[in-house]
Amino acid sequence: MKKVCVLLSIIPFIGSLTVINKVEPYVLGMPFIIFWAALWLVLSAAGMGISNLLYPIEEDGEES
């Protein structure tokens, strides 16, 4: 399960490092490069949320 969480953390990082140097086409009214950045922002948040649900961190001293 921890491997899935690590994979969900790495995929958005790799995707956000790719360089897309296009203005055309427009997607949802935005130039493609802005859409690409916004897409990876949303996908990163979704991946981190899923990772948190799959592998929550339990703090010492707190009751569940």
Side-chain angles (χ1 to χ4, degrees):
M1 187 64 66
K2 192 171 183 178
K3 290 180 183 179
V4 172
C5 293
V6 170
L7 183 64
L8 284 173
S9 301
I10 292 174
I11 289 174
F13 177 72
I14 293 170
S16 65
L17 288 178
T18 58
V19 177
I20 304 296
N21 193 12
K22 292 183 181 181
V23 174
E24 299 286 338
Y26 285 90
V27 181
L28 299 175
M30 295 181 282
F32 185 73
I33 194 164
I34 304 268
F35 171 74
W36 186 256
L39 175 71
W40 281 108
L41 179 71
V42 171
L43 289 177
S44 296
M48 294 298 109
I50 292 169
S51 293
N52 189 34
L53 290 175
L54 292 176
Y55 195 76
I57 297 174
E58 297 179 14
E59 295 184 19
D60 294 336
E62 290 188 14
E63 294 181 21
S64 299

